[in-house]
Amino acid sequence: MATPTHCLSASRLFLLLVLSSAIYGASAGRGSPLNNLFRPIAELITRHPRARGNPVPRWRNPHSVPSQLIKVLPHAAQSAADAMSALSGATDDSASGSRGSASGGGRGRVRTFAKPGGGGGSKTYFNVIEVTKPLPRPTGSALCGSATPLVDAPFGSTYGSPATAGSYVIPAACAGEWSMAVMNVSVLVKGVQFDRRMSVFIGDLEVSRSITAEPLGTSVKYSFERDLTPLALAVRTNNELSVYLENVVDRTYTGIFYVTVSLLFYTGGAVPASPPSAILPWYSPGVLSRYFNITGGAVLSASSALAGFPPNTVRARFDLLMSLHAADEFYQFNYPDSATFQPEGGPFRELVLQIDGIFAGSVFPAPVFYTGAVHPLMWSPLVGNGNFHIPVYSFDLSPFAALLSDGSSHTFTVAIPKAVLNSNWYFTGSVHLWTDAGVASTAGPAPTVTGGDLVTPITETATGESGTNGVFGTTAARDYTITGTVTTAAGAVETVVTGSLAFDATVTSASNQWVQVWRQNILSAITVTRSVPGDTATVASMTVDQFIFPLFMNQTRLDAAGSVYFLTNNTFNFYQPMDASPSAATQTYLHNERIAGFKETYTAAGALRSRTIYSNHMYELDSTTGGGCYLRKVVAQPPPAGIQSDMVSTVC
């Protein structure tokens, strides 16, 4: 099959993470450089669970900055290099000394649950988006009906409260086969608030996880859609949808999230082929959030048994929804333990899946930078990759089909062997199962595994360490193969899953951590092949998933008078060629690049004098499955300016 010229080799795709940073801080050591860098500027006090080290006195609350201090950079800056040049050359001619109220968006009455825009409230909202391709409807389809709203509720002081649930009834006009089922989520929030984690469940199955936008002292709205067609079985067999969003409201953090969820059903057009025969949610029973939680330290894994597997299962897949918080929220920038002056557990993490103690797959997760990361104004109105669509990691479990069909319950375990103490890795999962109607039951030997150790060996190095200076490296690699056979009506089908994962990172510290440079490379290539032994005419399929995740970050003290410069380039590339048969190839390539930066200057007394913000996003999707090419470029500024340009093209 042909590889697109703009893609890397199908056998190797690397995640490249390059960070250059001259850290602006009061002192060297654990309290000053990167520990302070990735904190919500909205607070800068240690009461926040992500706060680590000492506050950075020259960073001020962005909610208190008047709009006239936000300058617009040229729209022509379409790359990281252009943005860097534009930011570096930005003049500081804003009104000197002009400052806003420290109260941010105003205090008002705490715990007032009247929806914004009603009863004389503000009806103007600042629109926030995650740049993606709008969810297309199938050709020839039409909306047959909707269940709306399923949930329409405020989330104020909800920390420690159960999920808010609503029941739904599928419209009678939509009783037949759907060509598509879509969930729409809309959110309004006004005031001052952090980024929060939000999950939507249908029954006990988590169907969506996202990170909320930060309101930045104004009224913010956003919405997103989720294609639930692959989960149509769960939608039909349940009648309850719930939203779990833990929020804290007090006299400082006044933002209440108003969430509305609806379901839309479409008929006509092509109906999706080969839906799963069963979907089993995997969650933590008895826990309000339903999340499993790996906290590091002595808790490095979580397990729970599942039952109810169909006896004639021939194919299976496990989907894992995961987000990380607290001490591991920005683990990618941790110094390895070989840095004796600042051991932080290192930048390498791995998720390992086991079934009944047997290795079933591994993933090196890609980072998601939340809307409170680094500087909240950098993520408004364009949030970072994955904020409204937290990634789902899929594991092909077809080699385990015979084992899962034996009529017993089976224990699923997720382990994160390198999670540091006081982490919060929240996750749920689901098992999707396909059956063979031609047989009452399937059977086969237990799968064979090579390269399935629980812990991937890690090598950490230190070169030229002197005080807080030196070059510190981390490498890890895993190659594994899982092979299984299951008897079907067509004969014995063999599935082979092979994985090739590699990690290589260095962090260079100079001038007592005033200059820090991070470089990381991650390779992830997973191949699945299915075949009927001895019959080459029925070689069924091959799937190859590969991704590259480059990131560039730079923070610099520009001059002795107190200028701070920061730039981030956050990119996710995904390449997925899939064969339905050896002669019918399809392939998808996604390039998703987010560039944002800011420059701030301060008076000698430490007061903010000016601020310049840059934000650009390019989303390119190229598919041979009928979707064609979709290219979207967005340039934006934080409130009140908003989106400056949003260009779409079908020619990449």
Side-chain angles (χ1 to χ4, degrees):
M1 105 188 57
T3 300
T5 56
H6 56 282
C7 295
L8 297 179
S9 164
S11 63
R12 284 290 188 264
L13 279 180
F14 287 94
L15 178 156
L16 174 62
L17 173 56
V18 180
L19 303 93
S20 300
S21 179
I23 299 299
Y24 183 76
S27 62
R30 294 182 61 89
S32 62
L34 202 63
N35 289 341
N36 293 320
L37 177 59
F38 300 103
R39 302 173 58 184
I41 310 304
E43 186 174 41
L44 286 180
I45 58 175
T46 57
R47 61 178 282 186
H48 188 265
R50 283 203 307 271
R52 300 167 62 193
N54 301 318
V56 180
R58 290 187 182 273
W59 287 4
R60 293 294 183 257
N61 189 332
H63 307 304
S64 68
V65 180
S67 61
Q68 63 265 28
L69 292 189
I70 299 174
K71 298 182 58 183
V72 177
L73 289 177
H75 298 170
Q78 296 293 309
S79 68
D82 292 339
M84 182 183 297
S85 175
L87 277 172
S88 298
T91 57
D92 303 321
D93 53 3
S94 300
S96 178
S98 177
R99 303 180 66 186
S101 167
S103 64
R107 299 182 183 277
R109 295 181 60 187
V110 179
R111 306 176 195 275
T112 299
F113 291 92
K115 194 168 187 176
S122 170
K123 296 183 179 180
T124 302
Y125 301 96
F126 187 75
N127 195 38
V128 175
I129 65 172
E130 179 176 343
V131 179
T132 62
K133 180 181 179 180
L135 199 59
R137 275 36 173 184
T139 302
S141 67
L143 179 67
C144 66
S146 62
T148 177
L150 309 182
V151 171
D152 186 7
F155 291 81
S157 295
T158 55
Y159 194 88
S161 299
T164 297
S167 61
Y168 63 91
V169 176
I170 298 172
C174 307
E177 293 292 331
W178 307 326
S179 53
M180 194 173 194
V182 177
M183 180 179 70
N184 181 276
V185 179
S186 299
V187 181
L188 302 176
V189 58
K190 179 182 179 180
V192 175
Q193 194 52 264
F194 282 111
D195 50 344
R196 303 295 185 184
R197 180 184 60 258
M198 180 172 69
S199 293
V200 181
F201 291 84
I202 289 181
D204 290 318
L205 174 67
E206 186 176 10
V207 299
S208 170
R209 189 177 301 186
S210 60
I211 303 299
T212 64
E214 293 202 18
L216 304 177
T218 186
S219 296
V220 165
K221 69 174 181 179
Y222 67 92
S223 63
F224 58 87
E225 291 185 329
R226 189 76 80 249
D227 183 3
L228 297 186
T229 312
L231 305 175
L233 179 63
V235 177
R236 289 185 182 277
T237 55
N238 289 277
N239 64 356
E240 182 182 272
L241 181 145
S242 60
V243 176
Y244 185 78
L245 195 167
E246 287 188 313
N247 190 27
V248 174
V249 173
D250 56 24
R251 291 189 175 275
T252 301
Y253 303 105
T254 59
I256 299 170
F257 295 97
Y258 296 85
V259 180
T260 302
V261 182
S262 58
L263 294 178
L264 308 175
F265 303 99
Y266 295 82
T267 56
V271 175
S274 303
S277 306
I279 301 176
L280 305 180
W282 186 69
Y283 63 98
S284 182
V287 176
L288 287 177
S289 65
R290 300 183 179 91
Y291 301 145
F292 295 99
N293 183 15
I294 292 178
T295 59
V299 182
L300 297 175
S301 66
S303 300
S304 183
L306 273 177
F309 297 95
N312 56 342
T313 296
V314 294
R315 188 158 64 92
R317 187 187 75 233
F318 181 78
D319 286 350
L320 180 70
L321 252 176
M322 177 275 299
S323 60
L324 53 148
H325 307 274
D328 255 354
E329 187 162 326
F330 300 107
Y331 71 87
Q332 299 87 2
F333 312 107
N334 288 357
Y335 275 68
D337 292 339
S338 58
T340 57
F341 65 92
Q342 191 168 306
E344 296 178 315
F348 173 75
R349 297 292 182 272
E350 178 183 24
L351 302 175
V352 177
L353 175 66
Q354 295 176 319
I355 299 176
D356 296 337
I358 304 172
F359 177 86
S362 166
V363 65
F364 297 172
V368 175
F369 291 92
Y370 303 151
T371 56
V374 185
H375 197 308
L377 286 175
M378 293 170 58
W379 315 105
S380 182
L382 307 181
V383 302
N385 298 346
N387 271 260
F388 296 163
H389 302 81
I390 292 295
V392 177
Y393 295 99
S394 294
F395 301 79
D396 195 303
L397 302 184
S398 299
F400 293 82
L403 176 66
L404 299 177
S405 301
D406 65 2
S408 302
S409 63
H410 297 279
T411 299
F412 284 67
T413 300
V414 170
I416 306 174
K418 281 286 291 182
V420 300
L421 184 63
N422 297 322
S423 302
N424 283 309
W425 293 72
Y426 294 117
F427 53 91
T428 66
S430 56
V431 183
H432 303 244
L433 302 141
W434 287 260
T435 60
D436 185 348
V439 294
S441 62
T442 55
T448 60
V449 179
T450 60
D453 294 338
L454 175 61
V455 179
T456 294
I458 302 171
T459 301
E460 296 183 342
T461 60
T463 304
E465 182 173 3
S466 176
T468 58
N469 300 330
V471 180
F472 308 94
T474 305
T475 59
R478 181 192 287 275
D479 291 291
Y480 67 86
T481 301
I482 308 171
T483 303
T485 302
V486 61
T487 57
T488 70
V493 174
E494 181 184 70
T495 301
V496 181
V497 178
T498 60
S500 180
L501 310 174
F503 181 92
D504 182 17
T506 60
V507 53
T508 301
S509 174
S511 301
N512 294 321
Q513 293 190 297
W514 284 74
V515 176
Q516 297 178 94
V517 178
W518 288 262
R519 292 183 176 89
Q520 294 186 13
N521 298 280
I522 293 182
L523 174 148
S524 178
I526 310 297
T527 303
V528 180
T529 58
R530 305 184 214 283
S531 61
V532 178
D535 187 353
T536 57
T538 57
V539 174
S541 65
M542 179 181 73
T543 302
V544 180
D545 292 345
Q546 300 175 333
F547 71 82
I548 176 174
F549 187 91
L551 177 70
F552 170 85
M553 303 187 74
N554 180 299
Q555 184 191 5
T556 306
R557 179 177 180 176
L558 295 179
D559 54 57
S563 294
V564 174
Y565 161 77
F566 187 91
L567 180 72
T568 176
N569 183 355
N570 176 13
T571 306
F572 180 78
N573 291 332
F574 177 72
Y575 175 51
Q576 183 186 55
M578 297 188 299
D579 282 341
S581 69
S583 60
T586 63
Q587 54 193 19
T588 299
Y589 170 76
L590 171 64
H591 174 81
N592 196 1
E593 181 177 17
R594 173 73 164 75
I595 303 172
F598 69 85
K599 176 184 176 182
E600 295 176 340
T601 64
Y602 300 89
T603 66
L608 179 67
R609 183 161 57 93
S610 68
R611 170 179 285 147
T612 303
I613 302 288
Y614 172 78
S615 183
N616 168 278
H617 200 127
M618 183 175 73
Y619 181 94
E620 178 184 356
L621 180 66
D622 191 359
S623 176
T624 62
T625 60
C629 184
Y630 178 86
L631 176 63
R632 184 177 182 184
K633 294 183 178 181
V634 184
V635 177
Q637 298 296 321
I643 295 173
Q644 305 297 293
S645 65
D646 188 348
M647 299 177 293
V648 174
S649 172
T650 56
V651 178
C652 293

PDB file of all heavy atoms in Angstrom, residues 3 133 149 164 188 254-255 297 307 319 355-356 382 404 411 426 428 435 437 453 458 463 467 480 508 537 542 583 632:
ATOM      1  N   THR A   3       2.332   4.847   0.839  1.00  0.00           N
ATOM      2  CA  THR A   3       2.417   5.731   1.994  1.00  0.00           C
ATOM      3  C   THR A   3       2.390   7.171   1.517  1.00  0.00           C
ATOM      4  O   THR A   3       3.148   7.538   0.622  1.00  0.00           O
ATOM      5  CB  THR A   3       3.714   5.488   2.772  1.00  0.00           C
ATOM      6  OG1 THR A   3       3.716   4.143   3.218  1.00  0.00           O
ATOM      7  CG2 THR A   3       3.809   6.427   3.955  1.00  0.00           C
ATOM      8  N   LYS A 133     -12.453  18.721  12.671  1.00  0.00           N
ATOM      9  CA  LYS A 133     -13.394  18.689  11.559  1.00  0.00           C
ATOM     10  C   LYS A 133     -14.778  18.452  12.121  1.00  0.00           C
ATOM     11  O   LYS A 133     -14.987  17.526  12.904  1.00  0.00           O
ATOM     12  CB  LYS A 133     -13.029  17.572  10.580  1.00  0.00           C
ATOM     13  CG  LYS A 133     -13.970  17.469   9.393  1.00  0.00           C
ATOM     14  CD  LYS A 133     -13.587  16.328   8.471  1.00  0.00           C
ATOM     15  CE  LYS A 133     -14.549  16.221   7.298  1.00  0.00           C
ATOM     16  NZ  LYS A 133     -14.201  15.110   6.379  1.00  0.00           N
ATOM     17  N   PRO A 149     -33.667  18.025  26.347  1.00  0.00           N
ATOM     18  CA  PRO A 149     -32.324  17.753  26.871  1.00  0.00           C
ATOM     19  C   PRO A 149     -32.369  16.588  27.852  1.00  0.00           C
ATOM     20  O   PRO A 149     -33.316  16.453  28.624  1.00  0.00           O
ATOM     21  CB  PRO A 149     -31.961  19.047  27.570  1.00  0.00           C
ATOM     22  CG  PRO A 149     -33.277  19.592  28.057  1.00  0.00           C
ATOM     23  CD  PRO A 149     -34.319  19.142  27.051  1.00  0.00           C
ATOM     24  N   THR A 164     -25.029  13.923  37.909  1.00  0.00           N
ATOM     25  CA  THR A 164     -26.378  14.406  37.635  1.00  0.00           C
ATOM     26  C   THR A 164     -26.943  13.609  36.469  1.00  0.00           C
ATOM     27  O   THR A 164     -26.355  13.569  35.382  1.00  0.00           O
ATOM     28  CB  THR A 164     -26.353  15.900  37.282  1.00  0.00           C
ATOM     29  OG1 THR A 164     -25.863  16.636  38.414  1.00  0.00           O
ATOM     30  CG2 THR A 164     -27.744  16.402  36.928  1.00  0.00           C
ATOM     31  N   LEU A 188     -22.036  26.485  29.403  1.00  0.00           N
ATOM     32  CA  LEU A 188     -21.927  27.917  29.682  1.00  0.00           C
ATOM     33  C   LEU A 188     -21.285  28.088  31.051  1.00  0.00           C
ATOM     34  O   LEU A 188     -21.582  27.336  31.980  1.00  0.00           O
ATOM     35  CB  LEU A 188     -23.299  28.592  29.688  1.00  0.00           C
ATOM     36  CG  LEU A 188     -24.168  28.513  28.434  1.00  0.00           C
ATOM     37  CD1 LEU A 188     -25.518  29.164  28.710  1.00  0.00           C
ATOM     38  CD2 LEU A 188     -23.486  29.193  27.271  1.00  0.00           C
ATOM     39  N   THR A 254     -15.989  31.765  41.269  1.00  0.00           N
ATOM     40  CA  THR A 254     -17.432  31.960  41.169  1.00  0.00           C
ATOM     41  C   THR A 254     -18.057  31.222  40.003  1.00  0.00           C
ATOM     42  O   THR A 254     -19.276  31.242  39.851  1.00  0.00           O
ATOM     43  CB  THR A 254     -17.733  33.458  41.024  1.00  0.00           C
ATOM     44  OG1 THR A 254     -17.068  33.951  39.839  1.00  0.00           O
ATOM     45  CG2 THR A 254     -17.231  34.237  42.234  1.00  0.00           C
ATOM     46  N   GLY A 255     -17.246  30.606  39.158  1.00  0.00           N
ATOM     47  CA  GLY A 255     -17.763  30.018  37.934  1.00  0.00           C
ATOM     48  C   GLY A 255     -18.595  28.774  38.169  1.00  0.00           C
ATOM     49  O   GLY A 255     -18.127  27.787  38.749  1.00  0.00           O
ATOM     50  N   GLY A 297       2.968   5.709  44.334  1.00  0.00           N
ATOM     51  CA  GLY A 297       3.393   5.145  45.612  1.00  0.00           C
ATOM     52  C   GLY A 297       3.116   3.661  45.647  1.00  0.00           C
ATOM     53  O   GLY A 297       3.585   2.893  44.815  1.00  0.00           O
ATOM     54  N   ALA A 307     -17.866 -10.157  33.859  1.00  0.00           N
ATOM     55  CA  ALA A 307     -18.559 -11.388  33.486  1.00  0.00           C
ATOM     56  C   ALA A 307     -19.540 -11.058  32.372  1.00  0.00           C
ATOM     57  O   ALA A 307     -19.757  -9.895  32.029  1.00  0.00           O
ATOM     58  CB  ALA A 307     -19.280 -11.984  34.691  1.00  0.00           C
ATOM     59  N   ASP A 319     -11.362  -0.575  25.113  1.00  0.00           N
ATOM     60  CA  ASP A 319     -11.168   0.866  24.995  1.00  0.00           C
ATOM     61  C   ASP A 319     -10.925   1.444  26.382  1.00  0.00           C
ATOM     62  O   ASP A 319     -11.710   1.191  27.311  1.00  0.00           O
ATOM     63  CB  ASP A 319     -12.384   1.539  24.367  1.00  0.00           C
ATOM     64  CG  ASP A 319     -12.485   1.280  22.872  1.00  0.00           C
ATOM     65  OD1 ASP A 319     -11.517   0.739  22.300  1.00  0.00           O
ATOM     66  OD2 ASP A 319     -13.531   1.617  22.278  1.00  0.00           O
ATOM     67  N   ILE A 355      -5.029  -9.317  31.292  1.00  0.00           N
ATOM     68  CA  ILE A 355      -6.256 -10.082  31.468  1.00  0.00           C
ATOM     69  C   ILE A 355      -5.893 -11.367  32.204  1.00  0.00           C
ATOM     70  O   ILE A 355      -5.072 -12.158  31.723  1.00  0.00           O
ATOM     71  CB  ILE A 355      -6.919 -10.410  30.116  1.00  0.00           C
ATOM     72  CG1 ILE A 355      -7.282  -9.121  29.380  1.00  0.00           C
ATOM     73  CG2 ILE A 355      -8.166 -11.268  30.324  1.00  0.00           C
ATOM     74  CD1 ILE A 355      -7.862  -9.355  28.002  1.00  0.00           C
ATOM     75  N   ASP A 356      -6.462 -11.536  33.375  1.00  0.00           N
ATOM     76  CA  ASP A 356      -6.133 -12.686  34.232  1.00  0.00           C
ATOM     77  C   ASP A 356      -4.625 -12.814  34.422  1.00  0.00           C
ATOM     78  O   ASP A 356      -4.069 -13.916  34.443  1.00  0.00           O
ATOM     79  CB  ASP A 356      -6.697 -13.974  33.644  1.00  0.00           C
ATOM     80  CG  ASP A 356      -8.216 -13.979  33.593  1.00  0.00           C
ATOM     81  OD1 ASP A 356      -8.834 -13.229  34.376  1.00  0.00           O
ATOM     82  OD2 ASP A 356      -8.777 -14.730  32.769  1.00  0.00           O
ATOM     83  N   LEU A 382      -8.986  29.040  21.689  1.00  0.00           N
ATOM     84  CA  LEU A 382      -8.649  27.748  21.089  1.00  0.00           C
ATOM     85  C   LEU A 382      -8.029  26.858  22.151  1.00  0.00           C
ATOM     86  O   LEU A 382      -6.897  27.088  22.579  1.00  0.00           O
ATOM     87  CB  LEU A 382      -7.656  27.926  19.928  1.00  0.00           C
ATOM     88  CG  LEU A 382      -8.031  28.931  18.834  1.00  0.00           C
ATOM     89  CD1 LEU A 382      -6.957  28.961  17.754  1.00  0.00           C
ATOM     90  CD2 LEU A 382      -9.383  28.594  18.233  1.00  0.00           C
ATOM     91  N   LEU A 404     -11.978 -15.588  26.599  1.00  0.00           N
ATOM     92  CA  LEU A 404     -13.131 -14.838  27.078  1.00  0.00           C
ATOM     93  C   LEU A 404     -14.438 -15.587  26.868  1.00  0.00           C
ATOM     94  O   LEU A 404     -15.460 -15.236  27.483  1.00  0.00           O
ATOM     95  CB  LEU A 404     -13.192 -13.477  26.372  1.00  0.00           C
ATOM     96  CG  LEU A 404     -11.996 -12.543  26.600  1.00  0.00           C
ATOM     97  CD1 LEU A 404     -12.155 -11.258  25.794  1.00  0.00           C
ATOM     98  CD2 LEU A 404     -11.827 -12.220  28.085  1.00  0.00           C
ATOM     99  N   THR A 411     -10.503 -11.091  34.993  1.00  0.00           N
ATOM    100  CA  THR A 411     -10.021  -9.897  35.679  1.00  0.00           C
ATOM    101  C   THR A 411      -9.197  -9.040  34.736  1.00  0.00           C
ATOM    102  O   THR A 411      -8.211  -9.502  34.150  1.00  0.00           O
ATOM    103  CB  THR A 411      -9.174 -10.280  36.899  1.00  0.00           C
ATOM    104  OG1 THR A 411      -9.980 -11.025  37.806  1.00  0.00           O
ATOM    105  CG2 THR A 411      -8.634  -9.028  37.594  1.00  0.00           C
ATOM    106  N   TYR A 426      -7.049   8.827  36.449  1.00  0.00           N
ATOM    107  CA  TYR A 426      -8.444   8.398  36.485  1.00  0.00           C
ATOM    108  C   TYR A 426      -8.787   7.704  35.167  1.00  0.00           C
ATOM    109  O   TYR A 426      -8.541   8.255  34.091  1.00  0.00           O
ATOM    110  CB  TYR A 426      -9.366   9.599  36.664  1.00  0.00           C
ATOM    111  CG  TYR A 426      -9.217  10.307  37.995  1.00  0.00           C
ATOM    112  CD1 TYR A 426      -8.790  11.628  38.053  1.00  0.00           C
ATOM    113  CD2 TYR A 426      -9.528   9.666  39.192  1.00  0.00           C
ATOM    114  CE1 TYR A 426      -8.669  12.297  39.267  1.00  0.00           C
ATOM    115  CE2 TYR A 426      -9.410  10.318  40.404  1.00  0.00           C
ATOM    116  CZ  TYR A 426      -8.977  11.635  40.433  1.00  0.00           C
ATOM    117  OH  TYR A 426      -8.849  12.278  41.632  1.00  0.00           O
ATOM    118  N   THR A 428     -11.599   4.675  33.088  1.00  0.00           N
ATOM    119  CA  THR A 428     -12.613   3.644  32.952  1.00  0.00           C
ATOM    120  C   THR A 428     -12.358   2.952  31.616  1.00  0.00           C
ATOM    121  O   THR A 428     -11.507   3.373  30.840  1.00  0.00           O
ATOM    122  CB  THR A 428     -14.049   4.212  32.957  1.00  0.00           C
ATOM    123  OG1 THR A 428     -14.236   5.004  31.780  1.00  0.00           O
ATOM    124  CG2 THR A 428     -14.305   5.052  34.196  1.00  0.00           C
ATOM    125  N   THR A 435     -19.392 -11.627  17.789  1.00  0.00           N
ATOM    126  CA  THR A 435     -19.690 -13.055  17.886  1.00  0.00           C
ATOM    127  C   THR A 435     -19.888 -13.658  16.495  1.00  0.00           C
ATOM    128  O   THR A 435     -20.031 -12.946  15.495  1.00  0.00           O
ATOM    129  CB  THR A 435     -20.941 -13.289  18.738  1.00  0.00           C
ATOM    130  OG1 THR A 435     -22.052 -12.605  18.126  1.00  0.00           O
ATOM    131  CG2 THR A 435     -20.743 -12.777  20.151  1.00  0.00           C
ATOM    132  N   ALA A 437     -22.465 -16.021  14.633  1.00  0.00           N
ATOM    133  CA  ALA A 437     -23.788 -16.624  14.751  1.00  0.00           C
ATOM    134  C   ALA A 437     -23.815 -18.050  14.223  1.00  0.00           C
ATOM    135  O   ALA A 437     -24.777 -18.793  14.480  1.00  0.00           O
ATOM    136  CB  ALA A 437     -24.815 -15.776  13.992  1.00  0.00           C
ATOM    137  N   ASP A 453       6.546  -8.546  29.880  1.00  0.00           N
ATOM    138  CA  ASP A 453       6.857  -8.224  31.277  1.00  0.00           C
ATOM    139  C   ASP A 453       6.046  -7.013  31.725  1.00  0.00           C
ATOM    140  O   ASP A 453       5.748  -6.106  30.927  1.00  0.00           O
ATOM    141  CB  ASP A 453       8.347  -7.927  31.448  1.00  0.00           C
ATOM    142  CG  ASP A 453       9.212  -9.154  31.203  1.00  0.00           C
ATOM    143  OD1 ASP A 453       8.675 -10.276  31.322  1.00  0.00           O
ATOM    144  OD2 ASP A 453      10.403  -8.989  30.879  1.00  0.00           O
ATOM    145  N   ILE A 458      14.052   0.675  32.139  1.00  0.00           N
ATOM    146  CA  ILE A 458      14.340   2.086  31.891  1.00  0.00           C
ATOM    147  C   ILE A 458      15.806   2.343  32.206  1.00  0.00           C
ATOM    148  O   ILE A 458      16.322   1.880  33.226  1.00  0.00           O
ATOM    149  CB  ILE A 458      13.456   3.002  32.766  1.00  0.00           C
ATOM    150  CG1 ILE A 458      11.973   2.726  32.499  1.00  0.00           C
ATOM    151  CG2 ILE A 458      13.769   4.473  32.520  1.00  0.00           C
ATOM    152  CD1 ILE A 458      11.053   3.413  33.470  1.00  0.00           C
ATOM    153  N   THR A 463      25.150  13.213  32.602  1.00  0.00           N
ATOM    154  CA  THR A 463      26.442  13.591  32.023  1.00  0.00           C
ATOM    155  C   THR A 463      26.779  15.014  32.432  1.00  0.00           C
ATOM    156  O   THR A 463      25.963  15.929  32.247  1.00  0.00           O
ATOM    157  CB  THR A 463      26.403  13.487  30.488  1.00  0.00           C
ATOM    158  OG1 THR A 463      26.012  12.170  30.108  1.00  0.00           O
ATOM    159  CG2 THR A 463      27.754  13.820  29.882  1.00  0.00           C
ATOM    160  N   GLY A 467      26.233  20.874  40.245  1.00  0.00           N
ATOM    161  CA  GLY A 467      25.189  21.698  40.837  1.00  0.00           C
ATOM    162  C   GLY A 467      23.851  21.366  40.215  1.00  0.00           C
ATOM    163  O   GLY A 467      23.398  20.220  40.281  1.00  0.00           O
ATOM    164  N   TYR A 480       6.609  -6.424  21.595  1.00  0.00           N
ATOM    165  CA  TYR A 480       5.830  -7.560  22.076  1.00  0.00           C
ATOM    166  C   TYR A 480       5.016  -8.165  20.937  1.00  0.00           C
ATOM    167  O   TYR A 480       4.727  -7.514  19.917  1.00  0.00           O
ATOM    168  CB  TYR A 480       4.923  -7.149  23.236  1.00  0.00           C
ATOM    169  CG  TYR A 480       3.811  -6.183  22.883  1.00  0.00           C
ATOM    170  CD1 TYR A 480       2.584  -6.642  22.391  1.00  0.00           C
ATOM    171  CD2 TYR A 480       3.959  -4.809  23.070  1.00  0.00           C
ATOM    172  CE1 TYR A 480       1.558  -5.770  22.088  1.00  0.00           C
ATOM    173  CE2 TYR A 480       2.938  -3.925  22.763  1.00  0.00           C
ATOM    174  CZ  TYR A 480       1.745  -4.406  22.275  1.00  0.00           C
ATOM    175  OH  TYR A 480       0.732  -3.538  21.964  1.00  0.00           O
ATOM    176  N   THR A 508      18.458  19.089  29.232  1.00  0.00           N
ATOM    177  CA  THR A 508      19.724  19.781  29.437  1.00  0.00           C
ATOM    178  C   THR A 508      19.483  21.009  30.298  1.00  0.00           C
ATOM    179  O   THR A 508      18.618  21.836  29.985  1.00  0.00           O
ATOM    180  CB  THR A 508      20.342  20.207  28.095  1.00  0.00           C
ATOM    181  OG1 THR A 508      20.542  19.054  27.289  1.00  0.00           O
ATOM    182  CG2 THR A 508      21.675  20.915  28.307  1.00  0.00           C
ATOM    183  N   ALA A 537      -6.341 -17.418   0.632  1.00  0.00           N
ATOM    184  CA  ALA A 537      -7.426 -16.660   0.009  1.00  0.00           C
ATOM    185  C   ALA A 537      -8.307 -15.969   1.032  1.00  0.00           C
ATOM    186  O   ALA A 537      -9.077 -15.079   0.689  1.00  0.00           O
ATOM    187  CB  ALA A 537      -8.275 -17.586  -0.859  1.00  0.00           C
ATOM    188  N   MET A 542      -5.542  -6.408   8.016  1.00  0.00           N
ATOM    189  CA  MET A 542      -4.361  -5.910   8.713  1.00  0.00           C
ATOM    190  C   MET A 542      -4.623  -4.463   9.094  1.00  0.00           C
ATOM    191  O   MET A 542      -5.121  -3.686   8.279  1.00  0.00           O
ATOM    192  CB  MET A 542      -3.111  -5.990   7.838  1.00  0.00           C
ATOM    193  CG  MET A 542      -1.862  -5.462   8.536  1.00  0.00           C
ATOM    194  SD  MET A 542      -0.391  -5.522   7.480  1.00  0.00           S
ATOM    195  CE  MET A 542      -0.752  -4.178   6.354  1.00  0.00           C
ATOM    196  N   SER A 583      -6.625  -6.343  -1.048  1.00  0.00           N
ATOM    197  CA  SER A 583      -6.757  -5.513  -2.242  1.00  0.00           C
ATOM    198  C   SER A 583      -7.570  -4.250  -2.016  1.00  0.00           C
ATOM    199  O   SER A 583      -7.767  -3.473  -2.939  1.00  0.00           O
ATOM    200  CB  SER A 583      -7.411  -6.334  -3.363  1.00  0.00           C
ATOM    201  OG  SER A 583      -8.698  -6.771  -2.966  1.00  0.00           O
ATOM    202  N   ARG A 632      -8.103  23.028   7.937  1.00  0.00           N
ATOM    203  CA  ARG A 632      -8.678  24.162   8.659  1.00  0.00           C
ATOM    204  C   ARG A 632      -7.571  24.915   9.373  1.00  0.00           C
ATOM    205  O   ARG A 632      -6.766  24.308  10.085  1.00  0.00           O
ATOM    206  CB  ARG A 632      -9.718  23.675   9.666  1.00  0.00           C
ATOM    207  CG  ARG A 632     -10.456  24.785  10.413  1.00  0.00           C
ATOM    208  CD  ARG A 632     -11.512  24.190  11.331  1.00  0.00           C
ATOM    209  NE  ARG A 632     -12.267  25.211  12.033  1.00  0.00           N
ATOM    210  CZ  ARG A 632     -13.196  24.965  12.946  1.00  0.00           C
ATOM    211  NH1 ARG A 632     -13.501  23.700  13.246  1.00  0.00           N
ATOM    212  NH2 ARG A 632     -13.836  25.951  13.550  1.00  0.00           N
TER     213      ARG A 632
END
